[in-house]
Amino acid sequence: MTERTPVSGGAVLSWMPVAAMAVVAVADLSAGPGVGFLPLVSLGPAFSGLVGGWRRTALIGVVALLLCVGLGMYDGLFEERRGFTAVVSVAGVTGVGVAAAVMRSRREAELASVRSIAEVAQRVLLRPVPRTAGPLQAAVSYTSAVAEARIGGDLYEVVASPHGIRVIVGDVQGKGLAAVETAAVVLGAFREAAHDEPDLVGLGERLERSVARELEGEKFVTAVLAEIGSDHGVVFLNYGHPAPMVVRRDGTADFPQPLAYALPLGLGAHGGEGPKPYRVDFAPGEQLLLYTDGVTETRDESGCFYPLGDRAHLLKEPDADRALEAVREDLVRHAAGPLHDDAAMLLLRYHGHGEGKSVPIA
C-alpha cells in the first residue's frame, strides 16, 4: 500500500487564487451573464495579495484581467457598462493586492531581522552550556512562552571554576524585555563571581548584592545554585526556587528540599535569613535535573500539574540531549497547547557508576 503524502497548508493557500478564478469562470459559464458572477474574478488577485509575493500577485492580476475580458466578451457585457465595471474592479483589486503583498514582504523582512537579533541576544545571554564539564555531561532545553521569542526570563549557566563545577538555574519575575535585562544582570554577576568566591554561600551573597543594587527592590529572581566537587556530592543553595530532581541509578527520583526556605534574590533587604547550603550525594551513573516552575506548574486540560517525578523514566535515553527533548515534548503534550510560562531545564549526568544518599550540611 502506497502512503499518501499530506498536502501542506501553504500549498493549499498557494493554489487558492487560481481555484477561486476557476470556480468563478465555471459558475459564470454555467449561469450565464444575467447572474453577475464576472466581478468575482477579482477574488484571484485578492487572495494572492494575502499569501503571495507582489510579482505573483501582479501575474495573477494579469490572468484575472484576461479572464475577465474573455468572459465579458463571451457574455456580451461590453455592449453595456457591466463589462467595463468588472474590468475596473479586477484592476483595482489587483493594485491593492500588489500593495498589500509589498507591505507584507517588508514586515516579514523586519520580523526576520528581529528574529536574527533575538538569536544573537540568546547566544550572548544564554550561551550554550559546555557539553562536558569535568565528570559531568550537560544538556539544556529552553521553551519561551512568548510567541516567536527565543529568550525570556528564565536563565541557566554552567561554570567550571577552581572550586568545582558551579551551576545556576533561575526564574526572573515577569516577562518580556525587562525580564531579559534582569536575567542578564544575574548571569553576568554569576559568571564573574563563580570563579572568585571560594564557597557557595559567598557566591550567593555576591549575587544578592548585585541583584539588589541593579533592581532596587522592583523585581526578584528565584534561583538554585549548585556546586559539584570531587567528593561525589552536590551542594545546593536555594533562593525560593523549585527543588531540583535527582534521578538515582535505579530510576527513582528524589526532590531534596532546602533545610529552610529563603527569599528570592533581590529581596534580601526585606529581612530574613539567607539560604542555608545543603548537600546531596551525587554519584557516578546518576542524573541531576534543575528546572524552572514553568515545567512543574504546567497544567493539562483538567488543571493537573505536570508530574515531573513520574516522568523520570524519560531520562533513560543514552543521549542527554534526546532525553531532555523527550521530557520537553512530553511537557508540551501535557499542556495540550502553548506553554503559559517560560520553561527551562538543565540536565547534568555524572559519568560512571555509583550510589549516593542525601546528607544535609550543618
Side-chain angles (χ1 to χ4, degrees):
M1 181 177 179
T2 304
E3 184 179 356
R4 297 180 60 184
T5 302
V7 180
S8 66
V12 173
L13 292 176
S14 177
W15 283 100
M16 187 177 293
V18 177
M21 292 189 297
V23 169
V24 172
V26 171
D28 184 82
L29 292 173
S30 301
V35 180
F37 280 125
L38 192 58
L40 295 179
V41 173
S42 61
L43 289 174
F47 285 144
S48 183
L50 294 175
V51 300
W54 71 268
R55 291 184 178 86
R56 187 172 187 273
T57 302
L59 178 61
I60 294 293
V62 171
V63 173
L65 283 172
L66 294 176
L67 181 61
C68 184
V69 171
L71 290 174
M73 293 177 64
Y74 177 80
D75 293 336
L77 298 180
F78 287 104
E79 298 176 0
E80 49 184 300
R81 294 181 178 178
R82 291 174 57 192
F84 295 101
T85 301
V87 170
V88 171
S89 175
V90 172
V93 172
T94 298
V96 172
V98 170
V102 170
M103 294 175 63
R104 193 188 69 256
S105 297
R106 290 177 178 175
R107 288 196 299 270
E108 290 174 350
E110 292 174 356
L111 179 59
S113 177
V114 170
R115 287 177 176 174
S116 177
I117 294 172
E119 290 173 357
V120 173
Q122 182 190 41
R123 288 194 293 269
V124 173
L125 178 60
L126 295 178
R127 301 178 304 196
V129 299
R131 297 188 63 85
T132 58
L136 304 178
Q137 181 185 12
V140 68
S141 170
Y142 190 102
T143 305
S144 176
V146 180
E148 304 298 340
R150 303 294 195 273
I151 54 178
D154 289 359
L155 56 96
Y156 54 82
E157 184 59 288
V158 177
V159 174
S161 77
H163 316 289
I165 309 300
R166 289 178 165 176
V167 180
I168 183 173
V169 170
D171 185 1
V172 178
Q173 174 203 16
K175 295 183 176 67
L177 292 177
V180 174
E181 293 174 357
T182 303
V185 171
V186 177
L187 286 174
F190 175 79
R191 287 164 181 161
E192 179 180 358
H195 290 278
D196 299 338
E197 296 295 334
D199 60 77
L200 203 60
V201 174
L203 172 57
E205 291 174 348
R206 189 158 164 182
L207 286 180
E208 174 64 43
R209 291 193 298 270
S210 297
V211 173
R213 180 173 60 250
E214 294 291 338
L215 302 185
E216 298 179 350
E218 296 179 359
K219 291 184 180 296
F220 60 84
V221 182
T222 68
V224 59
L225 307 182
E227 180 179 282
I228 300 97
S230 58
D231 59 347
H232 290 180
V234 53
V235 178
F236 293 111
L237 201 62
N238 196 312
Y239 288 87
H241 199 77
M245 181 174 74
V246 180
V247 182
R248 303 300 178 185
R249 291 175 57 195
D250 60 2
T252 59
D254 295 335
F255 291 86
Q257 302 289 333
L259 301 179
Y261 285 92
L263 292 174
L265 291 169
L267 298 182
H270 294 274
E273 294 186 3
K276 303 296 182 182
Y278 61 105
R279 182 183 181 278
V280 176
D281 278 6
F282 183 42
E286 298 180 335
Q287 303 181 78
L288 171 63
L289 181 67
L290 298 99
Y291 54 91
T292 58
D293 60 8
V295 176
T296 51
E297 293 184 1
T298 294
R299 298 174 182 263
D300 61 11
E301 294 178 342
S302 61
C304 296
F305 291 113
Y306 182 69
L308 180 61
D310 296 338
R311 300 297 192 269
H313 65 277
L314 296 175
L315 298 176
K316 292 181 179 179
E317 166 67 39
D319 183 83
D321 291 306
R322 292 180 181 177
L324 206 53
E325 179 63 20
V327 177
R328 193 196 72 82
E329 291 176 353
D330 187 69
L331 177 67
V332 173
R333 284 193 298 269
H334 181 84
L339 301 183
H340 298 292
D341 194 6
D342 298 336
M345 293 181 287
L346 176 63
L347 177 64
L348 298 174
R349 285 182 167 177
Y350 206 135
H351 297 303
H353 302 284
E355 295 181 351
K357 60 182 181 179
S358 300
V359 180
I361 289 181

